[in-house]
Amino acid sequence: MSERVRDFSGECITVRGASEGVLDGADLTLPLGELNCFSGRCGSGARAMAVDVIAAESRRRFSQSLTGSERLSAGSVARVAAEEITGLPPAVLFRSASRGDLSVGEYLAVDDLLAQLFCVLADIHCPQCRGACHSYSVDQAVTEMTRRAEGEGVLVIGPMDLQGNATVEATLSELQRAGYRRIRRAGRVTRLEEVSAVAEEVGESGESLYIVVDRVVVKAGGEGRLAEAIRSARAIGRGRSLVVTASGEGEEVWLNHQLTCTQCGADYPHLSREDFTIRGGGGKEPSPAASATLSGTTFGELTQMTLDEVCRYSAALDRSGELGGRRVPDQSAALIQALQHHLAAASTLLVGHIPPSRSMRDLSDGERMRVVVAAYLTRGLVGVLYVIPSPLSALDAEARTAVLKALESLVEAGNTVILIDNDDGVMEACDTVVHFADGKAA
């Protein structure tokens, strides 16, 4: 084996007088930081020691750290029938039964990482007209206008919808008192000196009010004034801000805080990870998440690929370093690397042929075991005891070798593993083998 991260010299689990199940006052001293195997016939006590004593006692000790209400929801754990147990680290018990209706992608956290990438990098399209959707922070809005209209004068406008029973005239009077002097209607700027006349025109049309917040020349050194105008416009427009180039005669550019279609102007809430996951969709309103693409591929299409295909897709993202001419942010690059790490673990455990959308309950026992071990590899836990009661000898030779190598990696990372198996090849691969017979460790 490779050099191990943590030195467990002298550290061990000690069990004295265990009488749980078929055990008959069994004693055990088991070294930590090793790949261990319990062997013995059915009813010998090997499984009882691993599952009903060691794993159960670890769970009981964890439950003792919970509050009363948390303990009730987690379920009570009875005291283990043993005189003394010392040196016991936190334990994870592998269970062969599937966990609810989780998909493989959810279990491996692949879906979550992909969803985070889509939230940051995806090209978003309007579900109504298929136009491009964008959202802008204030700094991004300033950068966008500098790119579009540097050296030009622009009007910064806050769109206002009348609320409740407020009249147009009362609203315009309030705007005047707040220091605003102009509105923009039908492509032209109107001053507010004659509130009654303007109110009559606007009231008849039933249109929104477009309040001119400021006229700004976009230039180096003037970013602060432009940013402040956009903030004020968004305060009026509830996150919406309109900038018109050529001093109000040119292109209209919506630079909203919320996700907004550049063609039809429809706006949507910011997308979250839940919008992309299997359980997160299903809202009554159409969501742009369904048509969002990352490097030309939708989230749904990715989950129908195999894990190996998703791995190659993510590798292409990582090599390019940019998407659609945009540099991939450092945060997103870290997400891509994490995704590749999770997918590489799946490939190592020979489950790369499975699509992320497949349910864990639809896997064979061998596939499910390898998916669970792949998940263990990616969690980065140290000082944990993994108890795996399902015999590796039930796997074919290639899969058994892959799982043993993965478990060795967990040990090298600073963990301990207990297997239950009678296979000579499995026992030979382990550091320590404990034989059980007649309810005791031989």
Side-chain angles (χ1 to χ4, degrees):
M1 290 188 183
S2 304
E3 184 177 348
R4 294 176 179 175
V5 170
R6 179 178 168 186
D7 182 9
F8 285 93
S9 298
E11 295 186 52
C12 59
I13 300 171
T14 301
V15 180
R16 295 286 178 263
S19 302
E20 195 73 38
V22 298
L23 294 172
D24 183 17
D27 296 336
L28 174 72
T29 300
L30 190 73
L32 292 175
E34 291 191 359
L35 182 57
N36 303 285
C37 182
F38 291 178
S39 69
R41 294 181 178 181
C42 182
S44 64
R47 182 182 179 87
M49 179 63 80
V51 177
D52 301 330
V53 174
I54 293 176
E57 177 63 12
S58 177
R59 183 184 173 206
R60 188 190 71 82
R61 293 182 184 183
F62 170 74
S63 72
Q64 294 299 109
S65 68
L66 302 177
T67 64
S69 58
E70 289 172 335
R71 208 174 301 157
L72 283 174
S73 61
S76 61
V77 181
R79 182 175 293 276
V80 171
E83 295 174 5
E84 182 183 43
I85 302 176
T86 60
L88 184 62
V92 174
L93 174 64
F94 168 80
R95 298 185 183 277
S96 58
S98 61
R99 289 185 55 192
D101 59 349
L102 287 181
S103 70
V104 172
E106 289 173 315
Y107 195 90
L108 291 174
V110 167
D111 282 9
D112 185 66
L113 290 166
L114 282 172
Q116 291 183 63
L117 277 174
F118 267 72
C119 288
V120 177
L121 293 177
D123 294 316
I124 312 297
H125 305 281
C126 176
Q128 300 181 43
C129 72
R130 301 294 298 170
C133 294
H134 296 287
S135 65
Y136 297 88
S137 67
V138 172
D139 289 343
Q140 288 171 334
V142 171
T143 300
E144 179 67 12
M145 288 316 303
T146 302
R147 183 183 69 82
R148 287 173 176 259
E150 187 170 13
E152 292 186 34
V154 299
L155 289 183
V156 181
I157 297 169
M160 173 182 281
D161 298 323
L162 295 180
Q163 301 295 316
N165 297 322
T167 64
V168 175
E169 187 168 354
T171 301
L172 292 175
S173 297
E174 184 64 30
L175 288 168
Q176 272 195 315
R177 285 193 292 272
Y180 296 106
R181 295 290 179 263
R182 294 169 293 174
I183 64 172
R184 186 172 183 265
R185 297 187 59 249
R188 62 185 182 86
V189 176
T190 302
R191 300 188 68 83
L192 294 181
E193 277 83 358
E194 297 296 331
V195 170
S196 297
V198 174
E200 185 177 348
E201 292 179 15
V202 174
E204 290 175 356
S205 66
E207 65 189 53
S208 299
L209 298 174
Y210 289 85
I211 315 304
V212 177
V213 173
D214 200 357
R215 181 186 183 281
V216 182
V217 176
V218 181
K219 61 181 180 179
E223 295 88 353
R225 180 172 173 180
L226 177 58
E228 186 59 33
I230 291 172
R231 289 191 187 94
S232 298
R234 289 182 175 183
I236 294 171
R238 296 190 171 189
R240 297 174 296 164
S241 56
L242 175 65
V243 180
V244 187
T245 62
S247 298
E249 303 295 330
E251 179 186 15
E252 294 184 353
V253 184
W254 285 98
L255 300 172
N256 296 347
H257 172 70
Q258 53 266 60
L259 199 61
T260 305
C261 177
T262 56
Q263 288 189 20
C264 70
D267 57 66
Y268 305 93
H270 283 286
L271 297 181
S272 66
R273 291 179 289 182
E274 289 74 18
D275 291 312
F276 291 98
T277 56
I278 294 172
R279 256 164 280 283
K284 293 183 180 180
E285 298 298 325
S287 169
S291 56
T293 59
L294 182 58
S295 194
T297 307
T298 67
F299 185 89
E301 290 169 343
L302 279 170
T303 60
Q304 297 303 316
M305 296 179 180
T306 67
L307 291 168
D308 281 344
E309 288 171 338
V310 177
C311 189
R312 290 191 288 272
Y313 167 89
S314 66
L317 291 180
D318 193 34
R319 283 195 301 270
S320 66
E322 60 179 41
L323 287 169
R326 297 172 293 157
R327 181 181 174 277
V328 174
D330 291 341
Q331 176 193 6
S332 301
L335 285 173
I336 293 172
Q337 291 176 7
L339 176 63
Q340 290 174 334
H341 176 56
H342 286 238
L343 293 167
S347 181
T348 298
L349 271 297
L350 308 180
V351 290
H353 63 284
I354 300 174
S357 58
R358 183 175 298 175
S359 172
M360 289 287 288
R361 66 173 62 172
D362 293 335
L363 302 180
S364 68
D365 288 342
E367 287 174 331
R368 192 179 303 119
M369 173 186 282
R370 300 200 302 277
V371 168
V372 173
V373 174
Y376 292 164
L377 282 180
T378 62
R379 290 175 184 168
L381 299 178
V382 177
V384 170
L385 169 64
Y386 292 98
V387 179
I388 306 179
S390 301
L392 302 192
S393 52
L395 303 173
D396 62 65
E398 185 181 16
R400 184 164 61 247
T401 299
V403 171
L404 280 170
K405 286 184 177 179
L407 297 178
E408 288 171 1
S409 296
L410 288 174
V411 172
E412 290 162 9
N415 300 290
T416 305
V417 175
I418 296 177
L419 300 173
I420 303 174
D421 214 307
N422 293 318
D423 181 79
D424 290 337
V426 173
M427 289 189 286
E428 186 177 342
C430 293
D431 301 302
T432 299
V433 177
V434 181
H435 296 281
F436 283 80
D438 301 325
K440 293 186 178 182

